[in-house]
Amino acid sequence: MTLFNRKPAAALMAVSLFAAAMVGVAAGDAPQAAADAVPPGYSTTVTGTTHDFDYFMGSGWVTTQHRLKATGVGSHDWETFPATLCGSPYLNGMATVDEMYAPTKRNSGLTLRTFDPAKRQWSIYWVSSKAGVLETPAMVGGFHGKVGEFYSEDHDTHGRPVKVRFLWTLRDQDHAHWEQAYSYDNRTWETNWTADFVRGDRAELCEDGRPKQIGA
């Protein structure tokens, strides 16, 4: 937001327009370069393997979720809530489905992942129990070692265009970390959701492949 007078004198306006035109000529394809700018690391060509999410299958997970209450406004106000997660593989691992249940929120979310062997990429989709809609576009990417990277272009809840990043870190056999970040300016990332996962007893946490909703 500018705090200066937005109606300059005609002569000053003419000089400004001339200068801007000359800068544009000197820069050549600078406007196109600006349009193609992306935040650090952003790529929709990250690849992986069909085994990337084997780590999460066959177990139940206890997770602590940390979510920024408002995005894109410089907020530092976070909320924290617990959840449980249970996942199952399909099509010999080329598709996975996991459901997360947050008891204090009294709602669930479902993640569907599909693997494209031609592109060697995962597509990740989310469905909230509140909306019941498969959210698109998908996040695409894969793992390299113990780190997973997934990206897409989308809009935030206010309709503002953003680039989105998921980062997975497999810390050891029983601990993982996930985070989501938005870029509004194609230069910086704002992390707005993180989650820490601890492997638990599937028999205790899950029933028929889904989180037990005790007391729901």
Short mmCIF file of all heavy atoms in Angstrom, two decimals, residues 127-152:
data_model
loop_
_atom_site.label_atom_id
_atom_site.label_comp_id
_atom_site.label_asym_id
_atom_site.label_seq_id
_atom_site.Cartn_x
_atom_site.Cartn_y
_atom_site.Cartn_z
N VAL A 127 -9.59 -34.73 0.81
CA VAL A 127 -11.03 -34.60 0.98
C VAL A 127 -11.31 -34.34 2.46
O VAL A 127 -10.88 -35.11 3.32
CB VAL A 127 -11.79 -35.88 0.56
CG1 VAL A 127 -13.30 -35.66 0.67
CG2 VAL A 127 -11.43 -36.29 -0.86
N SER A 128 -11.99 -33.26 2.76
CA SER A 128 -12.38 -32.94 4.13
C SER A 128 -13.78 -33.46 4.40
O SER A 128 -14.66 -33.39 3.53
CB SER A 128 -12.34 -31.42 4.35
OG SER A 128 -12.98 -31.07 5.55
N SER A 129 -14.00 -33.95 5.62
CA SER A 129 -15.34 -34.42 5.99
C SER A 129 -16.34 -33.28 6.03
O SER A 129 -17.54 -33.48 5.96
CB SER A 129 -15.31 -35.15 7.33
OG SER A 129 -14.90 -34.27 8.38
N LYS A 130 -15.84 -32.05 6.15
CA LYS A 130 -16.75 -30.90 6.17
C LYS A 130 -17.31 -30.60 4.79
O LYS A 130 -18.46 -30.21 4.64
CB LYS A 130 -16.02 -29.66 6.71
CG LYS A 130 -15.70 -29.71 8.19
CD LYS A 130 -15.09 -28.40 8.66
CE LYS A 130 -14.87 -28.39 10.16
NZ LYS A 130 -14.27 -27.11 10.64
N ALA A 131 -16.47 -30.78 3.75
CA ALA A 131 -16.89 -30.42 2.39
C ALA A 131 -17.27 -31.64 1.56
O ALA A 131 -18.17 -31.56 0.72
CB ALA A 131 -15.79 -29.63 1.69
N GLY A 132 -16.57 -32.76 1.77
CA GLY A 132 -16.86 -33.95 0.99
C GLY A 132 -16.50 -33.83 -0.47
O GLY A 132 -17.07 -34.51 -1.33
N VAL A 133 -15.54 -32.96 -0.79
CA VAL A 133 -15.16 -32.70 -2.18
C VAL A 133 -13.69 -33.03 -2.37
O VAL A 133 -12.84 -32.67 -1.55
CB VAL A 133 -15.40 -31.22 -2.54
CG1 VAL A 133 -14.90 -30.91 -3.94
CG2 VAL A 133 -16.88 -30.88 -2.42
N LEU A 134 -13.37 -33.73 -3.48
CA LEU A 134 -11.99 -34.02 -3.82
C LEU A 134 -11.32 -32.73 -4.28
O LEU A 134 -11.69 -32.17 -5.32
CB LEU A 134 -11.92 -35.07 -4.92
CG LEU A 134 -10.53 -35.65 -5.24
CD1 LEU A 134 -10.07 -36.57 -4.12
CD2 LEU A 134 -10.56 -36.39 -6.57
N GLU A 135 -10.38 -32.22 -3.48
CA GLU A 135 -9.77 -30.94 -3.80
C GLU A 135 -8.74 -31.08 -4.91
O GLU A 135 -7.90 -31.97 -4.90
CB GLU A 135 -9.12 -30.34 -2.54
CG GLU A 135 -10.13 -30.00 -1.45
CD GLU A 135 -9.50 -29.31 -0.26
OE1 GLU A 135 -8.27 -29.03 -0.31
OE2 GLU A 135 -10.22 -29.04 0.72
N THR A 136 -8.82 -30.19 -5.87
CA THR A 136 -7.87 -30.14 -6.97
C THR A 136 -7.39 -28.70 -7.11
O THR A 136 -8.06 -27.78 -6.65
CB THR A 136 -8.53 -30.58 -8.30
OG1 THR A 136 -9.68 -29.76 -8.55
CG2 THR A 136 -8.94 -32.05 -8.24
N PRO A 137 -6.24 -28.47 -7.73
CA PRO A 137 -5.36 -29.44 -8.37
C PRO A 137 -4.60 -30.28 -7.37
O PRO A 137 -4.49 -29.92 -6.20
CB PRO A 137 -4.41 -28.56 -9.18
CG PRO A 137 -4.32 -27.29 -8.38
CD PRO A 137 -5.71 -27.08 -7.83
N ALA A 138 -4.07 -31.39 -7.86
CA ALA A 138 -3.29 -32.28 -7.00
C ALA A 138 -1.92 -31.70 -6.74
O ALA A 138 -1.37 -30.93 -7.54
CB ALA A 138 -3.14 -33.65 -7.66
N MET A 139 -1.35 -32.06 -5.58
CA MET A 139 0.06 -31.82 -5.32
C MET A 139 0.84 -32.93 -6.03
O MET A 139 0.47 -34.09 -5.95
CB MET A 139 0.34 -31.87 -3.83
CG MET A 139 -0.46 -30.88 -3.00
SD MET A 139 0.03 -29.17 -3.27
CE MET A 139 1.71 -29.17 -2.63
N VAL A 140 1.93 -32.58 -6.73
CA VAL A 140 2.69 -33.58 -7.47
C VAL A 140 4.14 -33.58 -7.02
O VAL A 140 4.70 -32.54 -6.66
CB VAL A 140 2.61 -33.36 -8.99
CG1 VAL A 140 1.18 -33.51 -9.47
CG2 VAL A 140 3.16 -32.00 -9.39
N GLY A 141 4.76 -34.77 -7.03
CA GLY A 141 6.16 -34.88 -6.66
C GLY A 141 6.52 -36.28 -6.22
O GLY A 141 5.90 -37.26 -6.63
N GLY A 142 7.53 -36.37 -5.37
CA GLY A 142 8.00 -37.66 -4.89
C GLY A 142 9.09 -37.49 -3.85
O GLY A 142 9.41 -36.36 -3.44
N PHE A 143 9.66 -38.61 -3.43
CA PHE A 143 10.71 -38.62 -2.41
C PHE A 143 12.07 -38.81 -3.05
O PHE A 143 12.23 -39.54 -4.03
CB PHE A 143 10.48 -39.78 -1.43
CG PHE A 143 9.56 -39.45 -0.29
CD1 PHE A 143 8.19 -39.40 -0.48
CD2 PHE A 143 10.07 -39.21 0.98
CE1 PHE A 143 7.34 -39.11 0.58
CE2 PHE A 143 9.23 -38.92 2.04
CZ PHE A 143 7.86 -38.86 1.84
N HIS A 144 13.07 -38.14 -2.46
CA HIS A 144 14.47 -38.45 -2.75
C HIS A 144 15.10 -38.74 -1.39
O HIS A 144 15.25 -37.84 -0.56
CB HIS A 144 15.17 -37.31 -3.48
CG HIS A 144 14.84 -35.94 -2.98
ND1 HIS A 144 15.59 -35.28 -2.03
CD2 HIS A 144 13.82 -35.10 -3.29
CE1 HIS A 144 15.07 -34.10 -1.78
NE2 HIS A 144 13.98 -33.96 -2.52
N GLY A 145 15.41 -40.00 -1.17
CA GLY A 145 15.87 -40.41 0.15
C GLY A 145 14.74 -40.30 1.16
O GLY A 145 13.64 -40.78 0.92
N LYS A 146 15.00 -39.62 2.26
CA LYS A 146 14.01 -39.49 3.32
C LYS A 146 13.24 -38.18 3.26
O LYS A 146 12.51 -37.84 4.19
CB LYS A 146 14.70 -39.63 4.69
CG LYS A 146 15.26 -41.02 4.95
CD LYS A 146 15.80 -41.14 6.36
CE LYS A 146 16.26 -42.57 6.65
NZ LYS A 146 16.72 -42.74 8.05
N VAL A 147 13.39 -37.45 2.17
CA VAL A 147 12.69 -36.17 2.02
C VAL A 147 11.76 -36.22 0.82
O VAL A 147 12.16 -36.63 -0.28
CB VAL A 147 13.70 -35.01 1.85
CG1 VAL A 147 12.97 -33.70 1.60
CG2 VAL A 147 14.59 -34.90 3.08
N GLY A 148 10.51 -35.83 1.04
CA GLY A 148 9.53 -35.78 -0.04
C GLY A 148 9.16 -34.34 -0.34
O GLY A 148 8.99 -33.53 0.57
N GLU A 149 9.06 -34.02 -1.64
CA GLU A 149 8.69 -32.68 -2.07
C GLU A 149 7.52 -32.77 -3.05
O GLU A 149 7.56 -33.55 -4.00
CB GLU A 149 9.85 -31.98 -2.78
CG GLU A 149 11.06 -31.71 -1.91
CD GLU A 149 12.12 -30.93 -2.69
OE1 GLU A 149 11.84 -29.79 -3.10
OE2 GLU A 149 13.21 -31.50 -2.89
N PHE A 150 6.50 -31.92 -2.81
CA PHE A 150 5.30 -31.92 -3.64
C PHE A 150 4.85 -30.47 -3.82
O PHE A 150 4.85 -29.69 -2.86
CB PHE A 150 4.20 -32.75 -2.99
CG PHE A 150 4.63 -34.16 -2.70
CD1 PHE A 150 5.30 -34.46 -1.52
CD2 PHE A 150 4.40 -35.18 -3.60
CE1 PHE A 150 5.72 -35.75 -1.24
CE2 PHE A 150 4.83 -36.47 -3.34
CZ PHE A 150 5.49 -36.77 -2.16
N TYR A 151 4.46 -30.11 -5.06
CA TYR A 151 4.13 -28.73 -5.36
C TYR A 151 2.88 -28.63 -6.24
O TYR A 151 2.54 -29.57 -6.96
CB TYR A 151 5.30 -28.06 -6.10
CG TYR A 151 6.58 -28.03 -5.33
CD1 TYR A 151 7.53 -29.05 -5.46
CD2 TYR A 151 6.88 -26.98 -4.47
CE1 TYR A 151 8.73 -29.02 -4.76
CE2 TYR A 151 8.07 -26.94 -3.75
CZ TYR A 151 8.99 -27.97 -3.90
OH TYR A 151 10.17 -27.93 -3.20
N SER A 152 2.25 -27.46 -6.19
CA SER A 152 1.15 -27.16 -7.12
C SER A 152 0.85 -25.67 -7.06
O SER A 152 1.35 -24.94 -6.19
CB SER A 152 -0.11 -27.95 -6.78
OG SER A 152 -0.79 -27.38 -5.67
#
